Amino acid sequence: MSANVHATVDLGLINATYTFGTPIFGGLASVGLLAFPGYNDTSLNGRVDGVVTLPPPIGSLPFSRSVSLNQSTVGFGDLYPQAAIRWNQGVNNFMTYATGDIPVGTYNSRDLANLGTGHGAIDSGAGYTYLNPETGHEFSAVAGFTYNFLNRYTQYQNGVDFHLDWAASQFLTKQLLVGVVGYVYREIGCDGGSGDRVGCFQSQVFSAGPQIGYSFPVSESLLGYVNLKAYGEFGAENRPSGANVWLTFALTPAPPRQATKD
């Protein structure tokens, strides 16, 4: 048996964040909610070859069957609430976060193309950023673990996974940066549930690629930032791999201007 799966997924991420003015545990705290509309077009092409053994005089009878399926879905994905606290010590920046998956997105266990996951999840981790304004060097890494709840439609539960996102960049000017990005995904727990027919089935994938970012004033009170990054995936096991491109646009309050002396 052989099969090929090809998926084209276009997502528009909407992330609303509120930052508290009063420090919490000595750090800058924020809460937010991530949602996304999207389009998923998935196709499956498979072929099964075998031999059926029949009583004499027929004997062995070879057979072959091909299957071709295609489905497109337009809708909304799950909701992802987020909470984080950040601390700054000169060029060193630290953060811890917690997030989750509220499974309200477009999902049907019988569909080939979905935008929702069909199950809830809890994710938590920590990150570090080194940023030196004098040299323009920047490096960031965020690692975390995800616990997946049981999919009640399929009775299948994904194992706990570890993920690491990293980025290294150089500011060419105060507004323009270039660099490289990447991520690591590795399932460290085994899949389970009464719907599991494949056993442990641990998966992994790695990626790396370029990025470019540019910040600019939108108004006296708003600062804009646009970032373009691309990932090429490799080393995949029990998981699809390919390439993906992310375009990010963010609006943040502009830093207060320093008062000038007359």
Side-chain angles (χ1 to χ4, degrees), residues 9 15 21 40 54 81 99 118-119 133 136-137 139-140 143 149-150 161-162 170 182 207 217 224 226-227 233 262:
V9 182
N15 191 2
N40 185 346
L54 300 174
T99 184
H119 65 85
H137 299 335
F139 174 78
S140 299
F149 292 97
L150 181 72
D161 65 67
F162 167 79
Q170 174 67 47
S207 79
V226 61
N227 179 276
E233 295 179 324
D262 296 334

Side-chain angles (χ1 to χ4, degrees), residues 102-127:
I102 303 175
V104 296
T106 304
Y107 176 83
N108 189 314
S109 60
R110 297 182 179 180
D111 287 347
L112 188 62
N114 285 298
L115 291 170
T117 63
H119 65 85
I122 295 177
D123 183 281
S124 182

Side-chain angles (χ1 to χ4, degrees), residues 119-146:
H119 65 85
I122 295 177
D123 183 281
S124 182
Y128 168 77
T129 296
Y130 172 85
L131 176 60
N132 190 328
E134 295 182 0
T135 63
H137 299 335
E138 184 270 341
F139 174 78
S140 299
V142 179
F145 296 89
T146 305

Side-chain angles (χ1 to χ4, degrees), residues 6-228:
H6 182 268
T8 300
V9 182
D10 297 316
L11 305 176
L13 304 182
I14 304 170
N15 191 2
T17 304
Y18 175 80
T19 301
F20 294 92
T22 303
I24 298 178
F25 299 114
L28 190 65
S30 63
V31 293
L33 183 67
L34 174 67
F36 62 89
Y39 169 79
N40 185 346
D41 181 82
T42 302
S43 60
L44 169 66
N45 296 292
R47 180 184 177 91
V48 178
D49 298 298
V51 177
V52 177
T53 302
L54 300 174
I58 300 177
S60 298
L61 181 64
F63 73 92
S64 178
R65 182 178 180 182
S66 297
V67 177
S68 181
L69 301 173
N70 180 266
Q71 185 183 46
S72 298
T73 299
V74 178
F76 284 87
D78 297 342
L79 295 176
Y80 296 87
Q82 304 167 341
I85 303 179
R86 296 173 174 83
W87 297 268
N88 171 256
Q89 296 179 358
V91 298
N92 300 303
N93 301 271
F94 308 89
M95 63 90 72
T96 183
Y97 77 91
T99 184
D101 183 338
I102 303 175
V104 296
T106 304
Y107 176 83
N108 189 314
S109 60
R110 297 182 179 180
D111 287 347
L112 188 62
N114 285 298
L115 291 170
T117 63
H119 65 85
I122 295 177
D123 183 281
S124 182
Y128 168 77
T129 296
Y130 172 85
L131 176 60
N132 190 328
E134 295 182 0
T135 63
H137 299 335
E138 184 270 341
F139 174 78
S140 299
V142 179
F145 296 89
T146 305
Y147 176 83
N148 299 284
F149 292 97
L150 181 72
N151 186 322
R152 63 186 180 89
Y153 302 100
T154 62
Q155 294 301 305
Y156 193 97
Q157 185 173 16
N158 295 87
V160 175
D161 65 67
F162 167 79
H163 52 87
L164 168 68
D165 294 88
W166 60 269
S169 58
Q170 174 67 47
F171 280 84
L172 302 180
T173 68
K174 291 184 178 181
Q175 295 176 287
L176 178 66
L177 67 86
V178 294
V180 293
V181 292
Y183 55 79
V184 174
Y185 173 89
R186 172 66 181 174
E187 189 176 357
I188 60 175
C190 285
D191 294 356
S194 61
D196 182 8
R197 302 290 187 268
V198 294
C200 190
F201 203 70
Q202 291 177 314
S203 61
Q204 70 174 30
V205 69
F206 306 93
S207 79
Q211 76 159 334
I212 183 171
Y214 183 74
S215 60
F216 54 94
V218 176
S219 65
E220 292 186 357
S221 59
L222 283 178
L223 186 66
Y225 176 72
V226 61
N227 179 276
L228 179 66

